[in-house]
Amino acid sequence: MSRRTFIAGNWKMNTDRAGAIKLALDVHAGLDASRIDAAVCPPFVYIDAVSHALRERSSKLMVGAQDVYHEPVGAFTGEVSPAMLKDVGVAHVIIGHSERRHVLHESDELIRRKVRATLDNGLHAILCVGELLEQRERGETNAVNELQTRSALAGLSADHMARLTIAYEPVWAIGTGKTAKPEDAQHAHAHIRAVVASLHGADIAARVRIQYGGSMKPDNAKELLAQPDVDGGLIGGAALKPADFLAICNAAGQ
Ligand code: PGA
């Protein structure tokens, strides 16, 4: 089963309006979308402007959001629904990023609801899973990934699964410059795929794309992406520099 590589840039709480549009257009201009899928995920307030600028150029670069709320409408001050994201051209939604799990204290149950609402609305979800350093040191990496994956995937159909990407992001590697060794990433990805197979069967598991995230840079991307179960990357810091993000995209297409 060959899975098309998927590279997504998670801009987190960075850029301003003009900078966001410029960053997206620079990536658009350099992207060879014939070989890979690529998305940029600006802060909520800039999504509409970025999406508009890319649409005007009929860009293949997709737009993602960094979060969503699971309710469709109503009195949820500060929150944004899946339909609102769709309305402004969002295709993918990052859910359960470690900063939302550990800084904003999102629970597995909230993440499960967000994944379900996103997929029910026809959007694609990028579910993030990954262990903390102390969990890795206790040998709990696979157990943590399994728990987070099983919890978020509970009750999903085959149709939902066709729009789901998983991002394995070891928390100790995010924004730290420390990257998982390619063989450690492969080991974790293979285990996550086995968990998906146990829930949904081998065919669906073979189709699900699993991105690696955590200090992926131009100089380590090729080796990570060469692993059989590493199907792309969720890129933080390096996604803010068009040349670096494009170098990672190119490493993937090789
Ligand atoms: P990083 O972030 O590439 O800066 O480590 C990745 C992420 O948090 O998605």
Side-chain angles (χ1 to χ4, degrees):
M1 164 66 57
S2 79
R3 292 173 293 269
R4 192 172 157 89
T5 302
F6 178 23
I7 308 288
N10 173 12
W11 295 356
K12 309 193 180 182
M13 199 170 72
N14 291 293
T15 74
D16 55 17
R17 188 175 188 280
I21 295 170
K22 182 169 183 332
L23 179 51
L25 291 183
D26 286 350
V27 172
H28 157 73
L31 183 70
D32 178 359
S34 66
R35 294 184 305 171
I36 62 156
D37 291 338
V40 290
C41 306
F44 278 140
V45 285
Y46 304 135
I47 287 177
D48 198 16
V50 164
S51 158
H52 180 78
L54 291 172
R55 248 195 335 263
E56 267 186 347
R57 288 156 182 84
S58 304
S59 182
K60 292 268 183 356
L61 179 60
M62 295 179 283
V63 179
Q66 301 172 19
D67 188 28
V68 67
Y69 197 59
H70 57 279
E71 295 288 351
V73 69
F76 303 101
T77 302
E79 296 296 338
V80 174
S81 73
M84 290 172 181
L85 294 177
K86 230 167 131 175
D87 198 20
V88 292
V90 163
H92 294 271
V93 185
I94 299 171
I95 299 170
H97 189 278
S98 71
E99 285 142 25
R100 299 217 59 91
R101 289 180 189 266
H102 300 297
V103 183
L104 285 309
H105 307 296
E106 289 196 2
S107 67
D108 282 325
E109 174 57 16
L110 179 61
I111 290 163
R112 185 190 68 73
R113 287 171 192 242
K114 289 182 174 189
V115 167
R116 180 61 187 259
T118 296
L119 298 170
D120 277 347
N121 277 272
L123 291 162
H124 295 247
I126 301 176
L127 166 71
C128 302
V129 302
E131 81 285 4
L132 297 163
L133 182 59
E134 59 263 34
Q135 293 169 325
R136 181 170 203 89
E137 285 169 345
R138 288 198 299 262
E140 294 169 3
T141 298
N142 283 347
V144 170
N145 288 337
E146 176 156 359
L147 199 77
Q148 292 179 351
T149 304
R150 279 188 188 280
S151 164
L153 268 50
L156 297 186
S157 66
D159 176 58
H160 288 132
M161 290 302 294
R163 293 193 302 283
L164 184 91
T165 297
I166 298 173
Y168 168 57
E169 299 206 307
V171 181
W172 48 271
I174 296 177
T176 58
K178 290 183 198 145
T179 315
K181 289 196 207 95
E183 59 271 26
D184 290 341
Q186 167 57 27
H187 193 244
H189 283 225
H191 184 256
I192 292 167
R193 200 177 301 287
V195 172
V196 176
S198 76
L199 292 168
H200 288 283
D203 281 0
I204 285 177
R207 284 195 184 90
V208 165
R209 292 186 290 193
I210 307 179
Q211 298 172 323
Y212 169 80
S215 298
M216 193 188 268
K217 311 276 181 215
D219 62 357
N220 60 27
K222 198 172 166 190
E223 221 187 336
L224 286 160
L225 293 166
Q227 302 302 312
D229 286 293
V230 177
D231 309 315
L234 184 55
I235 319 298
L240 296 171
K241 299 183 196 129
D244 285 3
F245 188 71
L246 288 166
I248 294 170
C249 291
N250 287 336
Q254 280 165 12

